[in-house]
Amino acid sequence: MRPRQRRTRQAVTGVALAALVGSGLVVAAAAPSSATQDGSRTWSVTGPGAPGAARLTADVDLDAAGDLHLAVERGGTPVLLPGRLGITTDEHDLTTGLRLVDRRERTVHESYRMTTGKQLDRSATMREATLTFQGADGARLGVVLRVSDDGIAYRYLLDEPGQVTVTQEASTFDLPADAKAWVQPYQPSYETERTETTAAAANEAQPKTCDGDTCSFGYPTLFKTGGSYVLLTEADVDGRYSGSHLDHQDGSSAYRVALAEDAPVTSQGPLATPWRTAIVGGLDTVVGSTLVDDLAPPSKIKDTSWIRPGMDDWSWLSDGSSPGNFERQKDFVDYAAQHGLEYTLVDAGWQASWVPELVRYARAKGVDILLWFDWNALRTQAQRDAWLPKVKAWGVVGVKVDYMYSDTQSTFQWYDAILRDTAEQHLMIDFHGATIPRGLQRTWPQVTSVEAVRGEENGQNPTRDIFLAFTRNVVGSMDYTPTWFSRPGRKDTLARELALPVVFESGWTSLGDKPEGFAAQPVAERYLEQLPTAWDETRLVSGGPEQQPAGDRQAVIARRSADRWFVGGILAGASDTMKAPLGFLGKGSWLLETIGDTDGGLQRTVRTVTAADTLEVPSAENGGFAAVACPAAKGRTDCEQPVVTAPATSLTLDPASTTAAPGASVPVGASFVLPQGGTLRHVRMTLDRDRLPAGWTATGQDVTRGSLRAGEELTGDWTVTVGKDQPGGSVEVPVWVEYANPAGGNAPPVHVEQILRVAIPLHGTAYASDQPFLTEANGWGPVERDQSNGETGSGDGHPLTIGGTVYDKGLGMNATAKVTIDIQGRCTRFEAHVGVDDENAGKGSVTFTVLGDGRQLAATGVLKGGAAAVDLSADTTGVQTLTLSVGDGGDGNAFDHADWGTAALTCAD
C-alpha cells in the first residue's frame, strides 16, 4: 500500500462554502451568538413567518468539547431535542474538537413551477445560516442550516478539492422518548408496512431484520410530540452521494442517519452533502409542505412542454398475463380512448414485434403508450443508447423502469444517467421498485411518479393507506395504482377505492382495474374521467394517522385544479360519519357532487353549499367517499367538463407493401379522410424521412391544410429510394398525419400513422440475428442478438461461447424459447453451431429445433452444459417462415442458456 500523501489545503471562507449551496440574497453576516459559562456557544436561526405559536427556531450548539448539536423549537416548545451533527471522512474526524471560524446569514427566496405534484406554482422563503468550523487538524466543516415556515434542513460542506471519501455521519435526530411514531422497517424497496409506536419503542414493532439492538427505518418517518408533527427525510440526493436511512438503538430516542449499506461514498470536492430534513408543524402543514422540493436543485430542463401528467389504464394488476397479448392491450387502448384517458401503460411481457403497431393504433385514437422496462435492460449506457431512441421512434412517450431496489451511490449515479438520457429523448419516466423521491421531480420534471410504497399490488391494508397520506405521499408523487374495483376479496368499499386517486397524488395515475371492471361502475367511470393528476393547491381537510374515538382512522384531502376542488375521504376501521369542513372552498355558493356507498353500489348526490358548511358522509367499515365542487351558476347541475375524444379517421397507403432491390425507387401515395364529424384543424401529412435507414432518400413535399372537413380527402405523393448497401430484410417506411387535438389545452396533436413495408430480397449470407422477429418468446428475459441470454434485461449478455469457442454472430435464448423470421422463400440453407453457453459452468440441458413453415427441418437431442458445440443445418429451399426453437431438455429451464452460434442463411444473389 502506498503511503497516503497529505493534501495541500486551500483556505475557504464561509462565503465560498455557501456558494456550494446556491444563490440567494445575503441580508446579514457574522451575527452574534449566545455563550454559557462552560464555554459552549449557541447560534439560532428563526423561520421567516410572523412571530407566533407556529414559528420555528433551530439552535446549533457547540459545547466545550467542540461537539455540535441541533435542536428545534416550534413556538418556543421543543420538537427536536439536541441531536449530534458532524461528519467523518477517510482523512478527518469532523465530529468533535471543532471551533467556529465564520458565520454567514442570508434569506433564500425562490419561485418555481412544477409539472406534477400537490401544488404546481411554488414559492419558498427560507432563512439560512452557514457556520464554518475548523477541526483540530485544520480541516474545515461547513454546516448550512435552513429554516422555513414548514421545517428545517441542514447539510454539510466539505471544501477540500480533489477526491473526498465520507465514511459516516454523526447526524442524529433526537425526539422525546414518548413521542408517537409511525415507522417503516427499512428496505431499499420501501414496500414494508408502517407501524404506530413511540420514538423509544420503535424496535419492538420491527420485524426480525435488526442487527442486535439496532434497527433501521426508512424515510419519511413521522413523529408527534405535543401538538407538533415532525416528518424526517432527506432532499437533494444524486450520484455525488448515497441515500440514507435512520438507525435506532432499542430504548433510545435518537435516530442516526446511516449511509446505504453503511458504505463510504466518494466524490470530487468541494462536496455538499444531501439535506437532512425535518418537516415540522401541524398535520395541515405537513401534508401541504413542499420543503423537499424547495431544497432540490432547479429544473435541468428548460422546455417542459412535452411533459404531460395524466391517467393511464394499466392491465398488469387485474389481468396479469395481458401485457404480453397484443389484442388484449388494444382493449385497454380502446377503453382509454373512450373515456378520455391520456395513456395506456403496457407492463412486463410486451414484445418488440408488436409494440410499434400498438403505438400506431393508440395514437390514432388520441392515446399515448407508456412502456415498462426491467432496469437491467437500461442499466448501461450502451443499453440506453440502443433502447431509448428506438422506443421514441416507435412513438412511445414514456417508460416505467422497475426493480432498482438500492440506495447505493452507484445506483444514484445510474439515476443521474437515465434521467439525463430520457430528458434528451423527451421521454417521461416513472420509477418502480425504486427509492423515495428526494426532490427529484423538481430537478428532473419528466419524472411523473415513483413507487417506493407498499401499494395496491401488495394487497390491501386500509390502515396503511391512512399512514401513507401523512408520510410517503407528502414527499413526492406516489405510484400506488389504485381503483381495482373488481378485486376478488376486496377489503374496502367502492367509494373508498374511488377516493384513493384523490387522496394519493401521482403525476401518472395508473388505474388498476380492467375495462370490464370499470364498466360495472359507471358512477366511478364518470368521476375518473374528470379527475386531474396535477394540482394547483392541496389541503388537509380532516383526519390524521391516530385513531378516532370511534376506533377508526380517517384522512380527507382536497385538491384544486383551476376552479374545481376534488375531495377524497378514506376511513380505516369501524363505520363512522366522516366530516369534511368546506372552508377551503372560498366565497360564494358551490355545487358539490358527492359519491358514497349504498347497498346497491355507488351513489352520486348533488347539493349547493358554502364554505361555512360541513360535508357529512356516513361510511361503512373501511369506507370512504369522493367529491367534486365547482362554482354554482344558474342552470348548472353538475361539475363535469366534456370528455373530448379523437374522431375515427382513415389513412391508406398505395402500395401498403412492396419488394425493392438495393438502389431501386418506390412510389408512395397516401390518402387521409375524416369520414364523418366536425372539422380537423392544422392538418399535416408527411413521409417521415428521419426514420428512414441510412442511405435511403425520399423526394416529395409535405401536405398541410388549415382545416379539413368531414368527407374531404387529403393526399400526398413521394418517391423513396432504397440505399445501395441495404442488406436483405424488411424495412418500414412511415407516413403520418397529425392534426390539432380536439381536446385543446396542452393535449398533443393526434398522430395517425401507417407503414409501407418494403421487403429487400435476402441475398448472399444473411444472419438470423440481423433479421426482425415476426414472433418472439423466451424463458428468461428477451432473446439476445449476438450475445448470450444474460439476465432479465436486453443487451445484458456476454459473448456467445460454447465449449470455449466464441461466436461473433448468433442468438442467445433461454428454454423454452422460439423466434420466427421471414426468409422470403429465397434462402436454401440454414447453419448454426448450437449448445449451452459456457457462462453456466457446465449446468443446463436443452434441445434445438429448426422448422420451416411449421414443418420440422432439423433437430438435436438433449445437449448439456460444458460440451462442445453441435453443428445443426437444414435445407430451407422454398421456406417462407423460419422458426428456431429451444426446449428445456425435459428437466426444467434452470441454467438453460441456449446459443445459436453464427445462425447463418445462404440466400440467392
Side-chain angles (χ1 to χ4, degrees):
M1 179 182 295
R2 292 184 302 171
R4 178 179 295 153
Q5 295 182 350
R6 189 167 186 84
R7 297 179 184 145
T8 300
R9 296 200 66 261
Q10 176 181 353
V12 179
T13 68
V15 174
L17 284 168
L20 289 170
V21 189
S23 61
L25 175 65
V26 178
V27 296
S33 63
S34 60
T36 62
Q37 290 183 346
D38 64 3
S40 65
R41 299 178 68 187
T42 300
W43 299 270
S44 297
V45 180
T46 299
R55 201 175 190 192
L56 299 180
T57 298
D59 295 323
V60 176
D61 175 78
L62 181 67
D63 66 20
D67 296 356
L68 287 171
H69 294 82
L70 173 69
V72 178
E73 296 180 350
R74 179 174 179 243
T77 300
V79 290
L80 284 174
L81 305 179
R84 286 290 306 277
L85 301 180
I87 196 166
T88 303
T89 74
D90 61 344
E91 294 192 345
H92 307 291
D93 180 358
L94 295 169
T95 64
T96 190
L98 301 173
R99 64 182 182 86
L100 183 76
V101 295
D102 192 72
R103 176 182 180 177
R104 299 284 166 168
E105 284 194 341
R106 63 177 185 168
T107 296
V108 177
H109 180 79
E110 293 183 314
S111 296
Y112 61 97
R113 183 169 175 83
M114 299 283 287
T115 59
T116 57
K118 67 181 76 172
Q119 181 180 334
L120 293 178
D121 288 310
R122 309 280 181 89
S123 180
T125 301
M126 294 172 277
R127 303 290 192 200
E128 178 187 284
T130 299
L131 306 174
T132 305
F133 299 92
Q134 190 172 67
D137 63 357
R140 289 176 180 254
L141 171 68
V143 178
V144 183
L145 176 63
R146 287 185 178 179
V147 182
S148 68
D149 289 339
D150 57 344
I152 66 98
Y154 66 89
R155 75 190 321 171
Y156 303 117
L157 305 178
L158 300 173
D159 67 297
E160 291 192 8
Q163 184 171 285
V164 178
T165 298
V166 174
T167 54
Q168 64 179 353
E169 294 185 23
S171 312
T172 302
F173 294 101
D174 206 333
L175 287 300
D178 61 352
K180 281 192 175 180
W182 290 267
V183 298
Q184 176 185 29
Y186 173 71
Q187 289 182 2
S189 68
Y190 295 85
E191 294 182 16
T192 55
E193 296 282 11
R194 281 180 170 79
T195 304
E196 182 180 294
T197 178
T198 64
N203 291 20
E204 298 173 13
Q206 168 85 325
K208 297 179 180 179
T209 56
C210 303
D211 183 6
D213 65 351
T214 300
C215 297
S216 297
F217 297 95
Y219 299 124
T221 301
L222 181 67
F223 299 89
K224 182 183 181 184
T225 172
S228 298
Y229 290 83
V230 180
L231 187 69
L232 300 182
T233 188
E234 61 182 351
D236 188 17
V237 185
D238 58 22
R240 296 167 298 166
Y241 217 73
S242 73
S244 69
H245 54 270
L246 297 173
D247 278 354
H248 175 253
Q249 285 192 326
D250 192 28
S252 167
S253 61
Y255 287 75
R256 184 182 67 84
V257 172
L259 302 181
E261 299 182 3
D262 290 322
V265 295
T266 299
S267 291
Q268 287 299 114
L271 172 66
T273 70
W275 292 100
R276 307 295 164 218
T277 306
I279 298 171
V280 181
L283 272 183
D284 55 343
T285 298
V286 171
V287 169
S289 174
T290 61
L291 182 59
V292 171
D293 292 330
D294 297 341
L295 294 166
S299 173
K300 294 180 182 289
I301 300 173
K302 291 183 179 180
D303 175 17
T304 61
S305 60
W306 53 276
I307 301 168
R308 191 165 63 115
M311 289 276 188
D312 66 81
D313 57 352
W314 169 61
S315 68
W316 182 86
L317 184 63
S318 61
D319 196 355
S321 63
S322 63
N325 185 321
F326 171 62
E327 293 299 327
R328 184 57 170 156
Q329 288 304 299
K330 287 168 66 176
D331 292 341
F332 281 81
V333 168
D334 290 342
Y335 184 84
Q338 292 162 9
H339 295 275
L341 308 184
E342 290 85 354
Y343 306 108
T344 290
L345 170 57
V346 187
D347 213 277
W350 59 266
Q351 299 294 324
S353 57
W354 53 256
V355 165
E357 184 177 351
L358 181 69
V359 172
R360 292 191 291 271
Y361 180 83
R363 295 180 81 186
K365 294 173 175 285
V367 176
D368 281 312
I369 294 296
L370 313 173
L371 208 56
W372 176 94
F373 275 91
D374 185 324
W375 91 291
N376 286 294
L378 299 171
R379 188 168 50 185
T380 68
Q381 190 65 55
Q383 289 173 310
R384 295 190 295 275
D385 288 345
W387 270 115
L388 297 180
K390 178 185 291 187
V391 301
K392 180 67 176 180
W394 290 349
V396 171
V397 299
V399 292
K400 171 182 177 179
V401 187
D402 208 346
Y403 300 139
M404 286 73 71
Y405 294 150
S406 173
D407 277 328
T408 61
Q409 183 179 16
S410 62
T411 304
F412 276 93
Q413 290 167 346
W414 174 84
Y415 279 114
D416 294 344
I418 196 169
L419 287 164
R420 179 196 65 234
D421 294 342
T422 51
E424 289 177 355
Q425 293 295 328
H426 283 196
L427 286 168
M428 294 174 282
I429 190 166
D430 169 19
F431 289 117
H432 219 60
T435 192
I436 59 166
R438 294 168 167 93
L440 197 66
Q441 289 176 281
R442 179 185 178 187
T443 308
W444 296 100
Q446 80 271 29
V447 179
T448 57
S449 195
V450 178
E451 187 186 25
V453 64
R454 190 167 180 83
E456 189 89 1
E457 67 184 64
N458 296 115
Q460 292 182 296
N461 181 339
T463 300
R464 170 216 303 162
D465 295 346
I466 302 292
F467 293 165
L468 290 174
F470 302 101
T471 54
R472 164 63 183 84
N473 206 199
V474 170
V475 300
S477 292
M478 185 174 77
D479 191 9
Y480 184 87
T481 64
T483 67
W484 189 0
F485 298 108
S486 64
R487 182 178 197 140
R490 185 166 37 78
K491 295 181 179 179
D492 62 355
T493 68
L494 292 170
R496 187 184 189 280
E497 196 72 17
L498 181 60
L500 289 177
V502 181
V503 175
F504 296 152
E505 180 272 317
S506 180
W508 282 346
T509 296
S510 295
L511 302 181
D513 216 331
K514 61 187 76 174
E516 299 82 1
F518 287 119
Q521 305 298 334
V523 174
E525 284 185 310
R526 180 178 178 180
Y527 188 80
L528 292 172
E529 287 174 351
Q530 301 295 313
L531 190 61
T533 64
W535 304 97
D536 295 310
E537 191 176 352
T538 292
R539 298 280 191 90
L540 173 64
V541 178
S542 62
E546 299 168 276
Q547 278 193 327
Q548 303 295 308
D552 62 288
R553 290 179 169 88
Q554 299 182 19
V556 181
I557 291 179
R559 303 187 191 272
R560 181 177 63 83
S561 175
D563 66 349
R564 294 191 297 175
W565 282 93
F566 292 82
V567 185
I570 59 174
L571 179 149
S575 61
D576 198 358
T577 297
M578 302 188 71
K579 297 182 179 181
L582 300 177
F584 58 87
L585 290 178
K587 297 178 180 179
S589 296
W590 293 75
L591 197 67
L592 179 67
E593 301 181 47
T594 306
I595 299 172
D597 295 298
T598 67
D599 291 340
L602 293 173
Q603 184 177 58
R604 170 179 167 269
T605 59
V606 183
R607 64 179 174 131
T608 301
V609 298
T610 69
D613 292 322
T614 296
L615 174 64
E616 297 188 5
V617 183
S619 296
E621 180 182 0
N622 297 329
F625 71 91
V628 57
C630 57
K634 185 176 181 179
R636 188 171 194 176
T637 59
D638 59 53
C639 293
E640 291 185 21
Q641 295 177 354
V643 177
V644 181
T645 59
T649 58
S650 173
L651 174 62
T652 57
L653 303 185
D654 183 21
S657 62
T658 190
T659 299
S665 295
V666 177
V668 184
S671 172
F672 177 74
V673 176
L674 171 68
Q676 59 183 6
T679 299
L680 303 181
R681 304 290 182 186
H682 306 298
V683 186
R684 178 190 175 201
M685 174 188 284
T686 188
L687 185 147
D688 196 336
R689 293 168 174 82
D690 291 339
R691 288 161 61 189
L692 294 177
W696 288 50
T697 59
T699 59
Q701 300 297 315
D702 291 358
V703 183
T704 60
R705 190 77 63 84
S707 62
L708 185 71
R709 295 193 302 271
E712 287 187 303
E713 183 182 23
L714 186 69
T715 61
D717 293 283
W718 299 268
T719 299
V720 175
T721 302
V722 179
K724 293 181 179 180
D725 297 327
Q726 179 67 37
S730 178
V731 173
E732 296 181 342
V733 177
V735 176
W736 51 258
V737 174
E738 284 188 346
Y739 61 89
N741 197 311
N746 69 339
V750 178
H751 183 100
V752 184
E753 182 174 301
Q754 291 293 343
I755 295 296
L756 165 64
R757 288 180 171 82
V758 181
I760 314 302
L762 292 171
H763 49 278
T765 298
Y767 295 99
S769 59
D770 293 336
Q771 307 307 311
F773 298 153
L774 301 178
T775 63
E776 172 189 350
N778 203 45
W780 179 256
V783 174
E784 296 287 4
R785 300 175 185 266
D786 302 328
Q787 57 183 266
S788 66
N789 186 79
E791 296 299 330
T792 57
S794 176
D796 62 358
H798 302 99
L800 295 159
T801 308
I802 309 171
T805 301
V806 178
Y807 300 91
D808 293 333
K809 302 292 291 181
L811 299 173
M813 298 183 181
N814 192 107
T816 54
K818 179 167 59 178
V819 297
T820 57
I821 301 168
D822 180 9
I823 63 172
Q824 306 170 346
R826 293 182 52 82
C827 304
T828 58
R829 193 147 199 86
F830 170 78
E831 296 179 318
H833 310 286
V834 299
V836 178
D837 196 277
D838 288 354
E839 66 191 358
N840 284 334
K843 299 177 182 178
S845 59
V846 296
T847 61
F848 294 82
T849 304
V850 181
L851 299 96
D853 297 330
R855 177 174 56 89
Q856 181 171 311
L857 304 179
T860 70
V862 176
L863 306 183
K864 294 186 178 295
V870 170
D871 294 338
L872 183 63
S873 62
D875 182 350
T876 59
T877 302
V879 170
Q880 298 293 324
T881 301
L882 182 72
T883 301
L884 306 179
S885 178
V886 172
D888 65 7
D891 59 355
N893 71 347
F895 305 105
D896 285 355
H897 287 199
D899 292 351
W900 299 80
T902 307
L905 290 153
T906 301
C907 307
D909 292 329

